[in-house]
Amino acid sequence: MDNNEKSASLNFIERIIEEDLANNKHGGRVVTRFPPEPNGYLHIGHAKSICLNFGLARKYSGRCHLRYDDTNPEKEEQEYIDSIEEDVRWLGFDWGEHKYFASDYFEELYQFAVKLIKKGKAYVDSLSPEEIREYRGTLTKPGRESPDRSRSIEENLELFEKMRAGEFEDGEYVLRAKIDMASGNLNMRDPALYRIKRVQHHRTGETWPIYPMYDFTHPLSDALEGVTHSICTLEFEDHRPLYDWVIQECEPEYRPQQYEFARLNLNYTVMSKRKLLRLVKEGYVDGWDDPRMPTISGIRRRGYTPQAIRDFADRIGVAKANSTIDIALLEHCVRDDLNARAPRVMAVLDPIKLVIDNYPQGQVEWLEAENNPEDPQAGSRKIPFSGQLYIERDDFMEEPPKKFFRLAPGREIRLKHAYYVTATSVEKDPQTGEITTVHCEYDPHSRGGWTEDGRKVKGTCHWVSAAHAIEAPVNLYDHLFTAENPGERTGNFIDDLNPDSLKVIQKAKLEPSLQEAEAGQIFQFMRKGYFCVDGTHSRPGQPVFNRTVTLKDTWAKLKKKMGV
RNA sequence: UGGGGCGUCGGCAAGCGGUUAAGCCACCGGUUUUUGGUGCCGGUAUUCGUAGGUUCGAAUCCUACCGCCCCAGCCA
């Protein structure tokens, strides 16, 4: 359970549900549904909808159906169904017995269409797509009625039967609702209900040469399943009158209602299927599950947890105002979750050598290191310490600016879990002037990282023993885009791609315990960030790490402010 | 010149005629700390798109205006 059970304040949909419950509107039932079209991969925007629909069902002891809106066989495939189910499960939700396909309702839908024809509420039209568009009018001009609008019920019935029998070519006829060609709402200007498509369907094969449209299928599917609250995004608001019309005229037993909320937008991110597809197709990313993608599979591979995503969904709320969430909130949610759970380990990403001149030659000590200060249950492990270590390059400065309290000449710092050391001298590459080695002396009385005299050391740094370190590739991921709203500047979102969205460190130096890290495991690399073992490139004994998110970095902020 | 929505702090978002206008993220201080992490404490909207009106009292009701989003697939 997440903290949305806290009933602090209700969102507008919860308010409606509680009113309905109080009025016994649907007999006290709450049934929602998540209705993806199996024509693409799920992304974080879908996660909002999934958490909303399944979360509501959970909160109000109802149920949430997984229903595929598979009414357009040209775009739909089994592959997507598999990934959708994996993603919904991964997020922590279960549809139980309630998995449905709109295509399972084709026969019933057909009968509802016949009913409409018999009521004189639908007709078969022979206008071409172009003509229909022309007859529809414009936003400001009313449409005109099709000549076929007055076709007799008998003839409509016969034609519709022939459509089903496969006697016509694609586009020859279409079944239309007879509503109002003068409506200010374009959706009500005799919308198409059925079109002819002589195409293989991924589930019904060649059974049907005609397929129902979304606006006809969706309300009736909801009704057939006993859905009480059909929750969709804002752009369907204009379709609600049509949704209601279909329910009204088809007279199904249950009368579901549609409600609309604002879809998720995230800054520094693109979410549209078209744009995500382009990133993949044109090779800007490494596939749909590239850790920089906002797809569920991408963020999963990045190391985000389902708990973090659900927490995020709770925090962003549900409302009707178009909004853009700051991606910093998502990052906060993962940090919050991982801080509590991720084992701490030491890893040096950009190493320089640290030599302890007064440490006994060849000595190795195995020191105790707690696994997680936030969780005493996590226990501890032993890590090897020696006279030759690696530390992070930017943990040493020859001429430190004020407020820098890491290692510098003559300065004493703590090596985490180990000893106090004081820097004495440096070695540089004569060519480049780059520091290659820092020499220091340690205080043997500071074993474990403290002394009896209680003297204070300001800085604590992570390290790994040079002789014991293992090497592994580490992928440092950052936002895929540098602009808050990609594409706003030039009209082409590709122009805002972040050239540094991935930096690969071929040979980071890691403490040896990481050798056997398994795919999917998540660690905090102390003082650096959260990293997970990549599920696709890691091999047993050869882990590859992906950076999920950095730790908050006050020093980086300070440095920037001071212009260092 | 059509229809449907939405406008409360930098970003989300509560608020539903009487509140000092919640909370979260971000930001800024301080404090704790063997992670410049975490935790803890504190600061940040005299004001709710604007202008009028109703009322003892308005972010909440009314009117007008302004701004933004969506709709002209035989896609969903």
Side-chain angles (χ1 to χ4, degrees), chain A residues 262-457:
Chain A
R263 62 161 9 111
L264 171 67
N265 295 296
L266 267 184
N267 58 13
Y268 300 103
T269 308
V270 296
M271 210 78 91
S272 86
K273 236 169 234 178
R274 198 197 103 246
K275 289 176 180 169
L276 296 177
L277 180 67
R278 188 167 167 208
L279 290 171
V280 173
K281 281 270 153 67
E282 297 182 16
Y284 294 109
V285 296
D286 191 22
W288 288 97
D289 67 341
D290 184 292
R292 293 164 294 183
M293 290 284 274
T295 49
I296 306 285
S297 52
I299 58 187
R300 175 166 59 228
R301 198 171 151 200
R302 177 79 170 257
Y304 277 72
T305 59
Q307 291 87 336
I309 306 297
R310 278 184 258 129
D311 181 37
F312 174 69
D314 284 343
R315 294 191 196 220
I316 59 180
V318 178
K320 298 196 66 157
N322 288 316
S323 60
T324 302
I325 307 294
D326 191 339
I327 195 157
L329 178 59
L330 215 209
E331 294 169 345
H332 167 83
C333 292
V334 231
R335 287 193 188 104
D336 198 38
D337 182 38
L338 263 22
N339 175 52
R341 308 194 292 144
R344 273 59 169 171
V345 293
M346 295 205 281
V348 176
L349 302 180
D350 183 13
I352 49 172
K353 208 73 172 283
L354 180 71
V355 176
I356 308 171
D357 293 319
N358 62 338
Y359 194 77
Q361 275 284 330
Q363 177 173 302
V364 174
E365 291 179 85
W366 287 79
L367 301 168
E368 183 99 5
E370 68 178 340
N371 289 327
N372 186 347
E374 303 296 317
D375 177 15
Q377 303 293 317
S380 63
R381 68 190 183 289
K382 297 280 193 184
I383 46 176
F385 182 84
S386 68
Q388 306 249 330
L389 310 173
Y390 290 113
I391 61 169
E392 212 69 63
R393 178 170 295 280
D394 60 11
D395 280 342
F396 177 83
M397 283 187 97
E398 228 180 343
E399 293 169 24
K402 54 180 181 301
K403 292 192 181 169
F404 180 87
F405 47 85
R406 302 174 183 177
L407 199 58
R411 190 178 296 176
E412 182 172 60
I413 59 139
R414 171 189 298 111
L415 293 175
K416 181 79 181 175
H417 304 308
Y419 289 99
Y420 292 175
V421 294
T422 304
T424 51
S425 63
V426 301
E427 288 176 36
K428 294 180 183 174
D429 183 311
Q431 239 62 49
T432 63
E434 189 179 66
I435 295 170
T436 55
T437 303
V438 175
H439 287 268
C440 66
E441 299 197 333
Y442 85 121
D443 176 356
H445 302 296
S446 62
R447 193 174 200 269
W450 61 282
T451 55
E452 291 202 339
D453 62 13
R455 72 176 185 273
K456 295 289 179 204
V457 291

Side-chain angles (χ1 to χ4, degrees), chain A residues 72-87:
Chain A
N72 187 357
E74 285 167 322
K75 312 194 311 192
E76 296 154 6
E77 292 169 29
Q78 182 63 37
E79 173 198 350
Y80 296 119
I81 292 177
D82 298 337
S83 80
I84 287 168
E85 294 182 11
E86 181 185 3
D87 290 348

Side-chain angles (χ1 to χ4, degrees), chain A residues 10-17 231-232 234 259-262 318-320:
Chain A
L10 304 177
N11 65 50
F12 79 99
I13 293 176
E14 293 170 325
R15 182 181 302 278
I16 289 166
I17 289 177
I231 302 164
C232 61
L234 252 28
Y259 301 94
E260 311 85 15
F261 72 102
V318 178
K320 298 196 66 157

Side-chain angles (χ1 to χ4, degrees), chain A residues 1-2 5 53-62 92-93 310:
Chain A
M1 286 305 118
D2 297 304
E5 316 270 271
N53 280 294
F54 280 94
L56 252 15
R58 186 177 284 180
K59 177 169 181 175
Y60 294 104
S61 305
F93 298 107
R310 278 184 258 129

